[in-house]
Amino acid sequence: MEPVTIPTARLLLRTVGQDDTDTVYAACQDPVIQRWTTIPSPYLHEHAQSFTEHLVPDGWATGSMFTFGVFLSQGELAGMLGITMRSLGVGELGFWATERHRGNGYMTEATLAAARWAFTHQSIDRLEWRAEVGNTASRAVAERTGFTIEGTLRAALNNNGVRRDCWVGSLLPSDLGLPSTAPYLPPRQ
C-alpha cells in the first residue's frame, strides 16, 4: 500500500522518510518520550535512520503498520502517530508529541483523523490504545478522543527489557458515528 496524507484543520499527517531522519532523531532525545514509549534509550541517530528509511516504509508496503508524522501547517514536527495491525480488523494506536507542542490538542486532533481514516479506509473495527500506567498525558488524549478505558493489564508492556503494567482502551467506529465492517453484538445487560 502507498502511504496516505491526511489533512486536518491545523495539521498534516504524512509519512516520514529519509528527509525527516534528523528531525525524528532530535525529537526523540526528549527524556519524556524515551521514558513513556518503547523507543530505544539512548536513542541514536541510527535508530532514527532505521525508523524513517526501513520501518516506516516497510510497514506501509506490507499493510502491517501505518505511521504518520504529525506536522503543523508550516512543516514543523509536532509528534508521531502509528497504527500497528494486531489481528484481523484490530489495530493498536500509539503516539508521542514533541515537548514544544504538548498541551495544544494536536495529538487529539491527529488521533481522531487517523482513527476515522482507519475505520473508513482500512476495514479496522477496533482500535486499541495502550500506555504504561502513570502516563496520564497519553491517557488524557485517549479519553478526549473517545476511547473507552477498559482496564489495566499486568506486565503487558515491555519497555527496554522491563515488564510494566499498562492501561488499555478501545475505540470503535460507532464511537465516532461510523459504521463497522463487521457486526458487533455486545452482551445483554
Side-chain angles (χ1 to χ4, degrees):
M1 159 173 207
E2 289 296 314
V4 299
T5 300
I6 305 171
T8 73
R10 302 180 296 165
L11 305 168
L12 184 67
L13 280 64
R14 67 163 175 82
T15 191
V16 291
Q18 183 176 1
D19 292 345
D20 301 300
T21 299
D22 291 340
T23 303
V24 170
Y25 170 73
C28 289
Q29 297 311 299
D30 180 353
V32 172
I33 293 172
Q34 289 189 27
R35 166 61 184 93
W36 292 114
T37 69
T38 57
I39 68 168
S41 181
Y43 195 81
L44 307 175
H45 194 271
E46 64 195 47
H47 295 128
Q49 188 172 11
S50 178
F51 178 72
T52 60
E53 295 180 21
H54 301 289
L55 190 66
V56 171
D58 291 352
W60 279 100
T62 62
S64 61
M65 183 172 61
F66 310 108
T67 303
F68 297 94
V70 178
F71 293 89
L72 302 181
S73 57
Q74 65 270 28
E76 186 176 355
L77 180 68
M80 196 69 59
L81 182 146
I83 298 173
T84 303
M85 297 307 299
R86 294 296 180 211
S87 62
L88 184 63
V90 179
E92 182 179 333
L93 183 135
F95 52 82
W96 52 256
T98 61
E99 181 178 16
R100 179 175 177 188
H101 296 297
R102 291 182 191 129
N104 296 314
Y106 295 141
M107 293 317 299
T108 300
E109 187 175 328
T111 298
L112 277 169
R116 288 183 187 283
W117 171 80
F119 292 146
T120 58
H121 292 90
Q122 292 304 309
S123 300
I124 291 177
D125 287 320
R126 175 182 167 89
L127 275 177
E128 293 183 353
W129 157 88
R130 295 173 188 227
E132 185 178 330
V133 171
N135 189 345
T136 56
S138 182
R139 184 172 175 148
V141 169
E143 289 176 333
R144 280 193 303 270
T145 304
F147 278 78
T148 297
I149 307 304
E150 297 175 333
T152 301
L153 303 176
R154 296 183 317 142
L157 191 127
N158 185 326
N159 190 340
N160 292 306
V162 178
R163 288 256 167 227
R164 300 171 188 260
D165 294 349
C166 72
W167 290 316
V168 63
S170 68
L171 187 70
L172 306 178
S174 58
D175 296 331
L176 301 180
L178 300 170
S180 294
T181 60
Y184 169 48
L185 183 62
R188 292 186 182 180
Q189 301 294 348

